[in-house]
Amino acid sequence: MVQASEHEDKALDRDCTTLSRHVLQQFQGFSAQAQDLSALMNRVALAGKLVARHLSRAGLMEGVLGFTGEVNVQGESVKKMDVYANDVFISVFKQSGLVCRLASEEMDEPYYIPENCPIGRYTLLYDPIDGSSNTDTNLSLGSIFAIRQQEGDDIDGKAKDLLSTGDKQIGAGYILYGPSTMLVYTMGKGVHSFTLDPSLGEFILTEENIKIPDSGSVYSVNEGNFWQWEESVREYVRYVHRTEGYSARYSGAMVSDIHRILVQGGVFLYPGTVQKPEGKLRLLYESAPLAYVIEQAGGRATTGRMNILDVVPQKLHQRTPLIIGSKENVAKVESFIQNGH
Ligand code: AHM
Ligand code: MG
């Protein structure tokens, strides 16, 4: 049998660290939890690949783009792509044995997979398509996910244990459907990015232990909402306008905007308004997972008054204001919100 040379082994190591192997390496040894989480992340990756494939052909198929005509629990019009991606996550976890409950932006109540519940102590929280408004114009989209361990027996089937702080997340991350498909995750041991190699059908390690710059020039916010904001947020944006060195970037998909900020620094804001102080974004499957990623990379995420990871939700689909990114930029926004300057 031909033995691979040491040199070839190293080349393979460098070029081909797959996601499941990387997750295993995050933990000491091959504990049951390490194997569970590796298998679980493999399923998240499969969902990402299925969604990416569907998106890449969407313009060529009938009945894939546009609205379904339904309105979801958030009161938002549902796109066909939202439904497709939501169902993809359900179907990949159905045979996993690992996940007993899934909770997403598109479902009023958590989805139970009873056959997994005797052994599957994990819950997946997810936003199947982040940035839905970009769907029909072939622009960047994302998926966001968080993994939590079930606490208690959930006898009444109301998943009340999910109403707890973001510190309870075991893992979290996102998939970015851009020119390439990327998966970024943390299990509390740094932030790591992977790029889908379509020829292999595998997510391959791109960068380990990503650190967000302490400050950056980008501010990312929908300024069309200016007239609705509290005066303190308006004051911050006025400050940015009169200060040299800021650049506005806002894509309509926060996975994409926050990924840019993770790599290059800056701040993303989706503040509340006078009418809706809680803002738009949902805590459990949007803000908290992204907060976990950004904090692990050395950044910060806050409502303006408290850290996102410390917020205890009152309900599954709770919304929260979000200010997230480089720590110096976030501190500046906070200072406007708390001190007015
Ligand atoms: P969605 O999950 O329904 O797409 O909502 C989340 C998205 C974010 O990705 C994005 O930053 C924001 O909503 C855009 O909202 P708006 O059009 O109000 O700026
Ligand atoms: Mg969303």
Side-chain angles (χ1 to χ4, degrees):
M1 199 172 99
V2 180
Q3 295 286 321
S5 71
E6 199 181 321
H7 171 77
E8 281 167 339
D9 272 352
K10 281 194 180 134
L12 198 64
D13 272 345
R14 193 190 64 228
D15 295 333
C16 286
T17 298
T18 60
L19 178 65
S20 41
R21 182 166 143 202
H22 193 267
V23 178
L24 276 178
Q25 285 170 355
Q26 295 278 289
F27 298 89
Q28 303 291 314
F30 288 81
S31 65
Q33 193 194 33
Q35 293 191 44
D36 279 358
L37 291 173
S38 170
L40 211 151
M41 283 301 297
N42 225 5
R43 294 282 163 168
V44 170
L46 176 59
K49 287 183 234 178
L50 289 163
V51 172
R53 185 179 67 175
H54 200 64
L55 287 172
S56 72
R57 297 175 183 165
L60 302 170
M61 296 187 290
E62 286 291 332
V64 168
L65 296 174
F67 291 96
T68 63
E70 315 259 290
V71 173
N72 70 11
V73 63
Q74 327 284 333
E76 293 159 352
S77 298
V78 177
K79 295 219 155 167
K80 290 174 188 163
M81 197 60 73
D82 293 322
V83 175
Y84 173 83
N86 192 57
D87 291 350
V88 161
F89 275 86
I90 292 174
S91 66
V92 303
F93 279 100
K94 261 195 172 156
Q95 309 98 24
S96 69
L98 293 163
V99 164
C100 164
R101 307 175 303 189
L102 296 125
S104 102
E105 180 174 329
E106 301 305 330
M107 301 186 288
D108 299 11
E109 304 289 341
Y111 183 101
Y112 285 76
I113 308 172
E115 59 273 27
N116 289 354
C117 291
I119 43 169
R121 301 294 297 170
Y122 298 98
T123 300
L124 188 85
L125 294 121
Y126 65 109
D127 178 1
I129 296 286
D130 165 70
S132 299
S133 76
N134 286 1
T135 311
D136 298 336
T137 48
N138 191 30
L139 293 169
S140 287
L141 295 163
S143 298
I144 307 171
F145 61 91
I147 301 160
R148 290 183 183 230
Q149 191 118 36
Q150 185 171 319
E151 290 185 359
D153 288 333
D154 190 9
I155 293 167
D156 60 2
K158 294 204 185 320
K160 289 207 187 94
D161 58 296
L162 294 179
L163 304 182
S164 54
T165 60
D167 299 332
K168 299 276 172 156
Q169 296 173 114
I170 300 173
Y174 56 80
I175 302 160
L176 168 58
Y177 309 103
S180 61
T181 300
M182 292 191 79
L183 189 151
V184 174
Y185 87 101
T186 184
M187 294 273 171
K189 297 170 197 290
V191 176
H192 319 289
S193 69
F194 292 73
T195 303
L196 179 63
D197 180 336
S199 63
L200 292 172
E202 286 274 12
F203 282 100
I204 302 296
L205 181 64
T206 317
E207 196 179 342
E208 245 179 338
N209 293 316
I210 302 171
K211 291 288 168 220
I212 183 171
D214 287 345
S215 73
S217 60
V218 165
Y219 76 104
S220 186
V221 64
N222 184 346
E223 293 197 51
N225 294 330
F226 190 93
W227 64 280
Q228 305 185 66
W229 291 333
E230 295 280 356
E231 194 51 27
S232 58
V233 178
R234 295 192 212 192
E235 269 304 307
Y236 169 73
V237 170
R238 286 188 194 110
Y239 157 81
V240 167
H241 289 172
R242 63 174 184 265
T243 306
E244 193 180 343
Y246 283 98
S247 253
R249 294 284 183 275
Y250 191 78
S251 72
M254 68 171 165
V255 162
S256 172
D257 292 326
I258 292 175
H259 185 70
R260 177 202 294 274
I261 286 165
L262 171 67
V263 176
Q264 298 178 344
V267 63
F268 173 94
L269 302 84
Y270 209 111
T273 61
V274 174
Q275 294 290 326
K276 291 187 177 162
E278 67 286 4
K280 172 182 181 185
L281 302 171
R282 277 67 34 140
L283 179 63
L284 280 164
Y285 42 79
E286 293 183 317
S287 303
L290 294 170
Y292 191 23
V293 169
I294 292 296
E295 282 203 4
Q296 278 290 313
R300 289 203 44 221
T302 170
T303 63
R305 307 234 164 243
M306 68 189 289
N307 285 338
I308 290 286
L309 294 182
D310 294 334
V311 179
V312 181
Q314 305 297 308
K315 54 182 184 185
L316 186 62
H317 298 289
Q318 180 159 321
R319 296 173 194 262
T320 174
L322 177 66
I323 295 135
I324 185 167
S326 296
K327 55 186 177 192
E328 289 174 18
N329 298 62
V330 171
K332 192 77 192 167
V333 182
E334 245 174 1
S335 155
F336 273 90
I337 291 176
Q338 292 176 16
N339 314 317
H341 55 84

